[in-house]
Amino acid sequence: MKIDILTLFPEMFYGPLNSSILKKAQEKGIITINYINIRDFTTDRHHQADDKPYGGGAGMVMKVEPIIKAYEAIPKNNSFTIMLSPQGRKFNQKLARELSQKEHLIFICGHYEGIDERVRQLIVDEEISIGDYILTGGEIAAMVIIDAVARLVPGVLGDEVSAEEESFSDLLLEYPHYTRPRNFRGLEVPEVLLSGNHKKIDLWRKKQSLLNTLFRRRDLLKVRGLTKEEKILLWQGFFELAMLIDEIPERSE
Ligand code: 4GY
């Protein structure tokens, strides 16, 4: 997958996108990230990439010409252009999956008050928002999307199964994870995980996922639905929780 990022602040990306899994993915050549400084495509004496808004008002607006010039300088034959803003389609795992099928993504990151409307009219395929809050620019939103999309590209995660095996593809939240030591400051790892009984472990994990999702995100469960087996597992988990009441000592009235 090819990724081009149009921004006035390319240095914002260097740490996050050149660490850990995305660093490896680029070293392996599975994804290629290219940074384009919009300021390099200004033509005036002061290299001005922004200007006062027509009609007046506070702040500055990013100029259309440098962005379009920067976009036109990108070699492309089948690209998909994304602009980040709170006005966009809400980003989620489904959209991440859609974008992971594209061969070339181009991100336009705005800053200041906004971007000249004509940029959207001319080159944007989809405007995306990562949530209902206002950032100082689109850069951090672009990084969030690139991270979520890149891990779905085949070969990016070392372990091929783990991208899709994970919580959201099953529309359930994760079960709790543990590693050594068995006891940390009195907190024990659940016995079943030490049993070596993989059928039992899978059932325990499924039960934990179901309980977690029921307690924290009932909205997800209502959309997903539950099989008969899953309902039985949940009732079982429920009963086991209820049994904890009996472990509490009785207190005189
Ligand atoms: N939320 N999701 C977001 C954002 C900042 C002015 C355009 C968001 O994606 N982007 O808050 N962006 C604005 C700042 C220019 C981007």
Side-chain angles (χ1 to χ4, degrees):
M1 174 182 279
K2 273 186 293 184
I3 298 173
D4 282 288
I5 303 169
L6 279 70
T7 174
L8 287 172
F9 304 97
E11 68 278 4
M12 285 182 70
F13 294 86
Y14 299 159
L17 298 189
N18 294 316
S19 309
S20 179
I21 291 167
L22 296 190
K23 177 183 181 178
K24 287 245 169 63
Q26 288 174 90
E27 286 168 355
K28 287 196 252 173
I30 303 166
I31 63 174
T32 307
I33 305 179
N34 182 39
Y35 303 96
I36 299 146
N37 192 332
I38 294 165
R39 200 171 301 283
D40 294 343
F41 292 84
T42 53
T43 49
D44 65 304
R45 230 161 41 85
H46 296 102
H47 298 285
Q48 201 170 301
D50 58 352
D51 205 341
K52 293 172 298 186
Y54 273 120
M60 297 291 266
V61 174
M62 285 177 68
K63 291 166 67 64
V64 58
E65 194 195 66
I67 295 175
I68 299 299
K69 289 265 168 65
Y71 172 84
E72 286 171 345
I74 301 170
K76 51 179 152 341
N77 57 47
N78 187 17
S79 60
F80 190 82
T81 302
I82 294 164
M83 191 164 92
L84 295 315
S85 95
Q87 281 88 51
R89 170 176 170 196
K90 188 79 70 72
F91 187 65
N92 59 20
Q93 193 65 23
K94 176 170 171 278
L95 183 46
R97 246 176 260 137
E98 276 175 48
L99 295 178
S100 71
Q101 305 297 309
K102 310 276 187 196
E103 62 179 78
H104 184 186
L105 297 177
I106 300 174
F107 290 89
I108 300 170
C109 304
H111 229 88
Y112 314 118
E113 280 314 296
I115 303 179
D116 190 305
E117 180 63 16
R118 291 164 293 188
V119 169
R120 181 147 54 110
Q121 291 179 309
L122 288 170
I123 59 175
V124 172
D125 294 305
E126 184 122 53
E127 204 170 341
I128 299 177
S129 166
I130 62 162
D132 293 338
Y133 37 79
I134 321 289
L135 304 170
T136 57
E139 284 81 7
I140 293 175
M143 287 186 247
V144 167
I145 292 171
I146 291 166
D147 191 87
V149 169
R151 67 185 285 290
L152 299 177
V153 174
V156 168
L157 294 186
D159 188 347
E160 292 291 330
V161 277
S162 43
E164 276 304 306
E165 194 189 82
E166 236 173 285
S167 51
F168 256 103
S169 50
D170 196 20
L171 293 175
L172 292 177
L173 300 185
E174 281 282 270
Y175 50 80
H177 301 277
Y178 294 90
T179 185
R180 288 186 289 188
R182 277 182 64 162
N183 180 308
F184 184 73
R185 300 189 181 174
L187 297 179
E188 293 275 1
V189 174
E191 194 71 42
V192 56
L193 298 179
L194 312 170
S195 71
N197 184 337
H198 290 290
K199 270 186 82 162
K200 245 178 107 181
I201 290 170
D202 285 349
L203 269 173
W204 181 86
R205 286 177 169 167
K206 183 75 181 274
K207 190 190 288 171
Q208 296 301 317
S209 282
L210 288 165
L211 284 167
N212 248 344
T213 316
L214 183 73
F215 289 147
R216 303 191 206 194
R217 292 295 305 275
R218 219 138 41 86
D219 58 318
L220 291 179
L221 270 195
K222 281 182 175 165
V223 173
R224 179 188 180 276
L226 289 167
T227 67
K228 266 202 197 69
E229 287 73 23
E230 287 169 342
K231 286 197 177 190
I232 292 168
L233 212 51
L234 253 180
W235 276 111
Q236 237 175 59
F238 229 41
F239 184 69
E240 283 157 17
L241 279 171
M243 291 297 286
L244 294 177
I245 297 169
D246 286 347
E247 288 179 18
I248 312 284
E250 202 150 308
R251 176 180 192 271
S252 50
E253 293 176 58

